[in-house]
C-alpha cells in the first residue's frame, strides 16, 4: 500500500443542485472516519459553504458545465482534509472581515457568514485566491480516533 | 437521501406559521425567499418559521431569514424560529443572528406561551 | 448555458470503503432527476457492482491510492448515463456467460452476478475492456420525466 | 448516511437467528463471512438470516449466502432469509439464487409457521 492518504476527488458543474450531493458524499467519508454526528454536521456545512461561495461568487451564479468546482477529500491518519477549488474570478482575501465586504455581502442578501462558518466549524482553514484565476480553500478536522 | 423541499403556510393559527420541510441551501432557498416575500407583502404581523422538519440550513437560508426579519422589523414585528435540533440551533448561535426580532424557540407550544408572557 | 449535459465526476481509490459513498452520491443524483425509489435502487446496485468488480478483479483487491476508479454521471435531458472506468487488468469480454467464467467466479466466492445485475437493472449497458489497460462500463437509465 | 454494520447471533430461538444490520457490500461482507463460517463450523442445523434491518445487499452478500447454503446443504440443512423490503427481495429474485435450500420469508413469524407445515 502506498503511503499517500486515500483521496476522493469530485468535480461538479457550477450548479446549485449538486451542493446537496457533495454534502452526502462528504458525510459518507466523515462517517467512515468515525467522526461524531456533531463533527459531521460541522464538516458538511463548511464544505457546503465553500461550494456555495464558488457558485455565487466565483462563477456569478451562472450554471454551466464549463464552470467546474473541484472537491478533494484526503483521509489522513489523524485528520480529514478537504479542498474546494474553483477557477473563477478570485478575490482579494484582504477584504474579509472589512466593512466594505460586509456591505457588499448584504447587497447580495448574504451575511458574510460562509467564511465565518468555515473558520469556526473546522479546526483549521487555509485560503488562497488569485484574481481571474480562482480560489482554493483547504480545511481540516481532526478525527476522534486515528483512522486505519 | 435528497429529500423533497416544501414550504407551506398555515394561517389558521394565532400567528401565521410557515412550515418548511427538507434542506435549506443555495438550491432550495429561492423557493423560501419567494414564499416569505409573498407573505410579508400581504401580512403585517409576527411570523413563525417552523423548522422542526428541516435537517439542514446554510448561510443562504440564514440570510433569507435575516432579510425577512429586517423587513418586518420596520413595523416592529418579529420572526419566531421554532426548532429543537441541536445542529440547527448551533448554526443560529454561531451566526450571531439571534436578536430581539429573531427569536429561537424549541416548540410551537412555546410560541403561545411566550405570547402570554 | 452550454449544451453538454451536466456532469459529475468522482475518482476513488481502489478501496472497499468508498463503494457506499459512491452509492450515496449516485442516489443523490438520481433523486434530483426524479427517478422513482425503485429506479434509484436499480441504479445504485448497478454502479456499486461495477465499482466492486473494479476493486476485486481489475486491481486484485489491492487497496491503494494509486489504483483509481473513475465514475462519471451525465445528466442527459431524458436519461442518466453512468460510466465506471478502471485502469486495471482488463478482461476478455468473450468469457462472460461461459462455463469457465462461472467456474472462475465461484472460486472467488462470486456468482457471476455483478454483470448480470447491471444488464438486468439498467435500461442499457455497454462494456469495453482491454487486457492490461482497463475496463469501461457505461450504463443508462431513462428518467421518468424529462429533466430540466 | 453510512450506517454501522453489525452481525449478532441469537441462539435462544427455535432456530439459530443471525441478525444483520446495515448494508451488506464488498466492505462489510468479510465480517458476515466470518460470522457464518464460525457458525457453520460449530452448528449443524438450519439457519435464519434476519435481513429486516438490511437496506442494501449486493452480489458479494448473495455470494456469501449461496456459499453458506452450499456448505450446510451437504447435511441437508437450509438457509432461511427473512426480509420484507421489496428492493432486497427483488435482488434475490433477479439473482436466481432461491432454491430448495435458500428460502425467502417475509417475517420471523413465518419461520415458525413454515416449520410446522
Ligand atoms: N470562491 C470565491 N470566489 C470569489 N469570491 C469569493 C469566493 N468565496 C468568497 N468570496 C468573496 O468573499 C466574500 C465573503 O464570503 P462569505 O463569508 O461566504 O459571505 P457571503 O457569501 O455571505 O458574501 C464574498 O462576498 C465574496 O466577495
Ligand atoms: N473491471 C473488471 N476488470 C477485470 N475483470 C473484470 C472486471 N469486471 C468483471 N471482470 C471479469 O468478469 C467476470 C464476471 O464478473 P461478474 O459478473 O461481476 O461476476 P463475479 O464478480 O461474481 O465474478 C469476473 O469474474 C471477472 O473475471
Amino acid at each position: 500500500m502506498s503511503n499517500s492518504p486515500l483521496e476522493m476527488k469530485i468535480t461538479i458543474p457550477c450548479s446549485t443542485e449538486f451542493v446537496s450531493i457533495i454534502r452526502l458524499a462528504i458525510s459518507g467519508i466523515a462517517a467512515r472516519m468515525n467522526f461524531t454526528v456533531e463533527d459531521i454536521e460541522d464538516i458538511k456545512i463548511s464544505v457546503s459553504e465553500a461550494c456555495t461561495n464558488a457558485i455565487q461568487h466565483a462563477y456569478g451564479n451562472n450554471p454551466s458545465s464549463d464552470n467546474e468546482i473541484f472537491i478533494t477529500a484526503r483521509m489522513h491518519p489523524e485528520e480529514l482534509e478537504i479542498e474546494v477549488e474553483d477557477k473563477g474570478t478570485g478575490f482579494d482575501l484582504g477584504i474579509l472581515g472589512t466593512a466594505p465586504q460586509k456591505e457588499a455581502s448584504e447587497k447580495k442578501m448574504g451575511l458574510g457568514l460562509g467564511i465565518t462558518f468555515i473558520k469556526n466549524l473546522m479546526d483549521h482553514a487555509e485560503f488562497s485566491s488569485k484574481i481571474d484565476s480562482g480560489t482554493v480553500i483547504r480545511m481540516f478536522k481532526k478525527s476522534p480516533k486515528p483512522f486505519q | 437521501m435528497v429529500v423533497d423541499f416544501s414550504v407551506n403556510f398555515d394561517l389558521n393559527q394565532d400567528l401565521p406559521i410557515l412550515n418548511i420541510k427538507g434542506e435549506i441551501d443555495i438550491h432550495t432557498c429561492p423557493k423560501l425567499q419567494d414564499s416569505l416575500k409573498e407573505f410579508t407583502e400581504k401580512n403585517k404581523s409576527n411570523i413563525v418559521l417552523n423548522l422542526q422538519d428541516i435537517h439542514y440550513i446554510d448561510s443562504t437560508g440564514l440570510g433569507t431569514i435575516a432579510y425577512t426579519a429586517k423587513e418586518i422589523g420596520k413595523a416592529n414585528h418579529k420572526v419566531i424560529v421554532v426548532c429543537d435540533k441541536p445542529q440547527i440551533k448551533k448554526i443560529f448561535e454561531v451566526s450571531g443572528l439571534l436578536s430581539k426580532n429573531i427569536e429561537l424557540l424549541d416548540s410551537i407550544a412555546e410560541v403561545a406561551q411566550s405570547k402570554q408572557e
Side-chain angles (χ1 to χ4, degrees), chain A residues 6-69:
Chain A
L6 288 181
E7 192 177 275
M8 170 157 179
K9 283 173 278 192
I10 313 186
T11 305
I12 56 170
C14 164
S15 185
T16 58
E17 68 232 79
F18 290 92
V19 180
S20 64
I21 297 166
I22 293 300
R23 286 199 299 273
L24 275 179
I26 291 295
S27 312
I29 299 251
R32 281 271 181 248
M33 284 181 77
N34 300 316
F35 279 101
T36 61
V37 173
E38 206 190 324
D39 279 348
I40 295 176
E41 273 318 301
D42 291 349
I43 296 167
K44 246 168 80 172
I45 293 171
S46 302
V47 175
S48 190
E49 294 290 344
C51 294
T52 297
N53 273 349
I55 294 173
Q56 288 187 313
H57 305 304
Y59 297 125
N61 225 333
N62 173 24
S64 148
S65 42
D66 301 331
N67 295 340
E68 290 180 316
I69 304 170

Side-chain angles (χ1 to χ4, degrees), chain B residues 62-93:
Chain B
L62 293 174
T64 301
I65 294 175
Y67 180 83
T68 303
K70 209 170 110 185
E71 287 299 300
I72 69 174
K74 291 173 190 162
N76 281 322
H77 292 126
K78 65 181 179 183
V79 174
I80 302 166
V81 176
V82 173
C83 179
D84 64 0
K85 290 215 180 67
Q87 73 267 32
I88 308 275
K89 286 165 73 175
K90 178 177 174 187
I91 285 304
F92 273 93
E93 276 143 27

